Amino acid sequence: MSEKKATLTIDGIEGAVELPVYSGSIGPDVVDVGGLTSKGLFTYDPGFVSTAACESEITYIDGGKGVLLHRGYPIDQLAAHSDYLETCYLLLYGELPDAEQKERFVSIVHNHTMVHEQIRTFFNGFRRDAHPMAIMCGVVGALSAFYHDSLDIADEHHRQVAAFRLIAKMPTLAAMSFKFSIGQPFMYPDNNLNYAENFLHMMFGTPCEASNVSPVLAKAMDRIFLLHADHEQNASTSTVRLAGSSGANPFACIAAGIAALWGPSHGGANEAVLNMLEEIGDVSRIDEYVARAKDKDDPFRLMGFGHRVYKNFDPRAKVMKESADEVLAELGLEDDPLLAIAKRLEEIALEDEYFIEKKLYPNVDFYSGIILKAIGIPTSMFTVIFAVGRTVGWIAHWNEMISGSYRIGRPRQLYTGHEQRDFVPLEQRG
Ligand code: CMC
């Protein structure tokens, strides 16, 4: 199947192992190291920086050139001409829908926006001050206890229904986790509204007052969902694939993805950006924080800067910045003190030798945090919103894996612990 070969010299024995090399449609070739085990060798790649763990047709990233393609379409074109649900269709099915397909897809998603009524009581088990991501890990995992008719992963129809349910119910659950924290009644979805409007309606509406969602804010919200829809084999998507490789049901797999997303190096960064801006507090203190970020002995990092794969610029950040400017203008917030700090940090990162040399640019979370703050969404909800948008990516990757051939994920290790030794009885230790 592969014409190219890589040969490995081990302990001076030239050509000790010959490994096939595969080429994708674009991107670097990959060396198939599967044959190494028969030679008693494993590969060692902490953080999987140079390991392709699967074959995929969904998303392509060239971090050096700042390219992000979904099914071949550049992210900036999708952000300019498409919308979140159309991008969901593209990610799930591989092609843009025609008008009829789009209408049907949107209508199916709308028909699944409500959650089982019993889930409302499930929320009461949480503390009111629980972090909404903690609630999301719990309730999304719990969906598998409510939707038994879409758990057979070998059945394509079940997988489809699970996908619709997850995409449609995530905004409802996200808004419920917010409403619960502030003690307001849960809002039912209004299926006359589009996906982003519906989310804002469930977040900010109350039974006694209509939410009056601004079209500019709804468009920005839709763009936030769209720009987070998928990002190749990142930590949370790889987690979903790994959990799914054991045959776990889709709701459990997505709950695993939500847990992985929560960390500040991944989806938690948008929340961390705002916390950092608040901690800096004033433009006059920026230099102090920038100095800390550069200090090797200080663990502090500038949140919202840098990316594992984008070492030039984050193409999502470019589009998100446009939305940030639109939202701030719509809300008349151009002079907000926190945003002044954000703008100054952005300037520094683009001028300062340390950031230029290490290729640390503002990433998507830097700007999405600013937009969400301006819309009035509390910081603890930022990562939840990332999870809502990313759900389609997780599901598309999970489905791609399950519908093809796959094996349970089982990485190996470089063991550096004790060699075998005999057990010492308690009275002889010390
Ligand atoms: N502030 C200051 N220094 C930094 C930063 C930062 N934000 N990010 C990286 N560095 C330095 C780091 O100290 C290291 O320096 P040295 O070479 O002297 O040891 C160098 O840059 C390379 O960093 P790294 O940790 O090896 O890079 P990585 O690719 O493993 O990490 C990252 C990528 C995103 C985890 C990291 O840049 C970071 O922690 N950024 C802040 C958190 C953040 O904004 N995350 C959101 C990512 S975008 C959302 C998503 O896709 O999930």
Side-chain angles (χ1 to χ4, degrees):
M1 148 168 148
S2 160
E3 306 252 305
K4 290 191 207 164
K5 301 259 180 251
T7 45
L8 196 64
T9 300
I10 303 168
D11 257 349
I13 307 169
E14 271 185 43
V17 193
E18 206 166 66
L19 303 164
V21 177
Y22 307 135
S23 301
S25 39
I26 31 174
D29 287 350
V30 300
V31 180
D32 180 348
V33 293
L36 285 180
T37 8
S38 64
K39 305 279 175 193
L41 288 172
F42 299 141
T43 52
Y44 180 61
D45 183 20
F48 308 119
V49 267
S50 49
T51 294
C54 63
E55 195 179 314
S56 180
E57 295 180 356
I58 301 173
T59 289
Y60 174 75
I61 300 175
D62 182 333
K65 294 194 183 125
V67 169
L68 168 60
L69 309 177
H70 290 324
R71 303 287 190 180
Y73 295 102
I75 191 67
D76 51 325
Q77 290 186 23
L78 291 170
H81 307 298
S82 185
D83 57 48
Y84 179 65
L85 283 186
E86 187 174 71
T87 303
C88 287
Y89 185 101
L90 174 70
L91 288 166
L92 290 171
Y93 302 113
E95 295 297 336
L96 287 167
D98 63 25
E100 198 193 318
Q101 288 166 327
K102 182 169 177 179
E103 200 187 320
R104 200 169 345 116
F105 181 74
V106 169
S107 142
I108 295 173
V109 171
H110 280 174
N111 282 333
H112 282 92
T113 50
M114 277 201 301
V115 291
H116 192 293
E117 199 62 11
Q118 197 70 9
I119 289 176
R120 299 166 77 85
T121 55
F122 195 88
F123 271 82
N124 291 330
F126 290 105
R127 285 168 54 137
R128 291 271 173 193
D129 61 355
H131 193 287
M133 279 298 275
I135 297 183
M136 292 301 281
C137 288
V139 287
V140 174
L143 293 180
S144 40
F146 289 90
Y147 299 105
H148 297 151
D149 58 344
S150 55
L151 296 184
D152 180 0
I153 63 163
D155 183 322
E156 197 186 334
H157 178 67
H158 278 224
R159 294 204 300 274
Q160 289 249 346
V161 175
F164 295 141
R165 283 183 167 147
L166 277 157
I167 293 165
K169 293 181 200 312
M170 281 291 281
T172 313
L173 293 172
M176 286 170 87
S177 70
F178 170 60
K179 288 295 197 190
F180 182 75
S181 73
I182 55 168
Q184 284 189 2
F186 297 137
M187 291 294 284
Y188 285 107
D190 176 348
N191 290 344
N192 294 312
L193 302 174
N194 71 31
Y195 195 83
E197 289 168 344
N198 208 353
F199 174 65
L200 292 173
H201 152 76
M202 290 185 285
M203 284 286 292
F204 297 118
T206 66
C208 35
E209 221 171 304
S211 46
N212 287 331
V213 176
S214 137
V216 174
L217 302 192
K219 186 179 150 219
M221 198 68 239
D222 189 82
R223 202 172 243 199
I224 287 180
F225 291 141
L226 187 152
L227 292 177
H228 285 94
D230 189 41
H231 212 228
E232 206 223 49
Q233 312 305 326
N234 55 83
S236 56
T237 303
S238 299
T239 301
V240 170
R241 279 189 180 256
L242 192 57
S245 76
S246 73
N249 76 66
F251 303 106
C253 294
I254 301 307
I258 294 173
L261 186 76
W262 195 356
S265 298
H266 190 8
N270 49 16
E271 179 177 348
V273 169
L274 257 290
N275 292 339
M276 178 190 74
L277 295 179
E278 268 156 18
E279 192 187 318
I280 297 175
D282 192 85
V283 179
S284 63
R285 297 185 62 204
I286 288 181
D287 289 347
E288 178 196 328
Y289 279 83
V290 170
R292 283 187 60 195
K294 294 183 193 174
D295 182 356
K296 272 209 157 304
D297 299 324
D298 190 327
F300 175 77
R301 284 184 170 198
L302 280 187
M303 288 293 127
F305 291 84
H307 198 275
R308 168 55 69 79
V309 280
Y310 295 121
K311 301 298 181 193
N312 184 339
F313 66 93
D314 180 341
R316 303 167 301 170
K318 243 182 164 177
V319 189
M320 199 62 98
K321 182 174 161 49
E322 277 170 32
S323 288
D325 292 341
E326 274 171 35
V327 167
L328 298 182
E330 161 84 3
L331 297 172
L333 285 176
E334 294 103 321
D335 299 327
D336 185 270
L338 275 194
L339 300 171
I341 300 173
K343 277 194 185 140
R344 182 65 199 125
L345 276 178
E346 183 191 14
E347 283 164 16
I348 290 175
L350 299 174
E351 290 163 2
D352 189 295
E353 203 39 52
Y354 174 91
F355 292 91
I356 294 171
E357 191 205 309
K358 294 193 186 302
K359 301 186 192 307
L360 301 170
Y361 296 87
N363 58 45
V364 66
D365 286 331
F366 183 72
Y367 297 108
S368 67
I370 293 170
I371 296 175
L372 293 172
K373 157 86 181 155
I375 292 180
I377 291 180
T379 39
S380 61
M381 283 297 292
F382 288 9
T383 315
V384 174
I385 286 165
F386 190 156
V388 172
R390 182 56 57 85
T391 296
V392 66
W394 291 330
I395 277 285
H397 282 272
W398 170 81
N399 196 38
E400 180 178 63
M401 180 182 74
I402 302 291
S403 46
S405 66
Y406 66 99
R407 300 172 74 186
I408 184 167
R410 178 51 171 98
R412 305 307 294 251
Q413 61 174 7
L414 171 66
Y415 177 69
T416 52
H418 282 286
E419 291 184 17
Q420 182 170 327
R421 51 186 175 158
D422 289 328
F423 181 81
V424 180
L426 183 60
E427 58 281 10
Q428 290 172 26
R429 287 176 226 159

